[in-house]
Amino acid sequence: MHNESRSESYAAAGVDITAGYKAVELMKKHIARTRNEGCLDDVGGFGGCFGLNVLGMEEPVLVSGTDGCGTKVKMAILMDKHDTIGVDAVAMCVNDIICCGARPLFFLDYIACGKNVPEKIAAIVGGVAEGCVQSGAALIGGETAEHPGMMPVEEYDLAGFAVGIVDKKKILDNSKMAEGDVVIALASSGVHSNGFSLCRKVFDIDNNPDSLYVSNEKLGGKCIAETLLTPTKIYVKSVLALLEKVDVKGISHITGGGFYENIPRSIPDGLCAKINKSAVKVLPIFDLIMETGNIPERDMYNTYNMGVGMSIVVPASDVDEALEILKAHGEDAYVIGEIVQCDETKIILE
């Protein structure tokens, strides 16, 4: 199909368009894993088409989210391991839109690279596809752009966006939140995709990368690099199952800004999330970051998820059922606090 398409002049300038064609061929097997009933065409056209099924919905609302992986990409490049960073790109988007109660429909990615190495690009997209499978979204398109001169040949950046759907009457509305409601934590898989600039400074990654590969007892024998590269956990399917059975009052995805920025986003004025720090199952990597970098505890809770990837507010009467559902879907779910009246702040950690 692309036998006639080759520009020697463009290749001499640093862009090999035939590498892009090869990358597309290599990634098709990954994309095929994500196909669902909404997919209408194959990858390779100018736009991704998706058939929207709104049967059973009174007022369907589309919910979108976009994000990247930040400087976590640096870890993937340092380790020359590119098959999981795509999970992070999907997770950062779908975990956001599920906070509205929306079911992800499809995802598109964007990869900018210094040099298009088809096998590397296919590995990245393989991770994206895995994230889509975990969230039930279809990977219906994307873009790979070769940017010689903009970044070194071995580097790349990855971002994407997701679109989901929810019936308007089922959009999560925190106006029903009340004093006495309970805050449930869903455990994270690690650092997820935020705070990596601080991680790089604390562990002196740019100047001393070899130290990342030493086995660390505090991390259960894993090295720092392996631990930091652990993919972001995707909560979509467990949260969707919860929404079918329980009156959820609010959901927060704990990303950049940690507890202090994200939990208040789902709390209405006049109420506050009172979090019991002793209940939080802090992961060893966060203790190591805090100790190595001499980071104040408040800064840690204002930067990282600290072991809580998502918080969910439910009525006290529904706590047992909520925990049962979440645990049945593989979540380490537990109570970390309650909703109280407070006009001065929306979160208290004590």
Side-chain angles (χ1 to χ4, degrees), residues 184-251:
I184 292 175
L186 301 189
S188 69
S189 56
V191 180
H192 284 184
S193 299
N194 298 101
F196 276 81
S197 294
L198 181 55
C199 286
R200 286 166 54 218
K201 180 181 179 181
V202 166
F203 297 122
D204 198 21
I205 289 174
D206 295 338
N207 298 316
N208 190 23
D210 291 344
S211 65
L212 297 176
Y213 303 100
V214 178
S215 176
N216 192 299
E217 291 183 5
K218 293 182 179 180
L219 301 178
K222 292 184 178 180
C223 66
I224 293 173
E226 181 184 4
T227 303
L228 292 178
L229 200 56
T230 301
T232 305
K233 186 165 179 52
I234 292 175
Y235 301 99
V236 169
K237 292 181 179 179
S238 55
V239 172
L240 286 175
L242 180 68
L243 291 171
E244 289 182 1
K245 302 290 186 179
V246 173
D247 180 23
V248 174
K249 303 289 191 71
I251 302 177

Side-chain angles (χ1 to χ4, degrees), residues 95 98-99 184-186 235 239 251-254 308-312:
N95 283 346
I98 193 63
C99 291
I184 292 175
L186 301 189
Y235 301 99
V239 172
I251 302 177
S252 288
H253 181 201
I254 314 300
V308 178
M310 188 164 278
S311 66
I312 300 177

Side-chain angles (χ1 to χ4, degrees), residues 8-9 55 67 111 162 167 199 204 215 217 293 318 331:
E8 297 294 342
S9 299
L55 293 177
D67 210 338
I111 305 169
D167 203 342
C199 286
D204 198 21
S215 176
E217 291 183 5
D318 290 343
E331 303 295 346

Side-chain angles (χ1 to χ4, degrees), residues 174-181 249 263-264 266-274 313 338-348:
N174 67 10
S175 66
K176 298 178 181 179
M177 199 175 292
E179 184 176 22
D181 287 341
K249 303 289 191 71
I263 292 180
S266 65
I267 310 296
D269 292 341
L271 295 176
C272 169
K274 185 178 180 181
V313 178
E338 63 177 336
I339 301 300
V340 299
Q341 288 187 342
C342 184
D343 293 325
E344 297 179 359
T345 182
K346 288 189 177 181
I347 184 168
I348 300 172

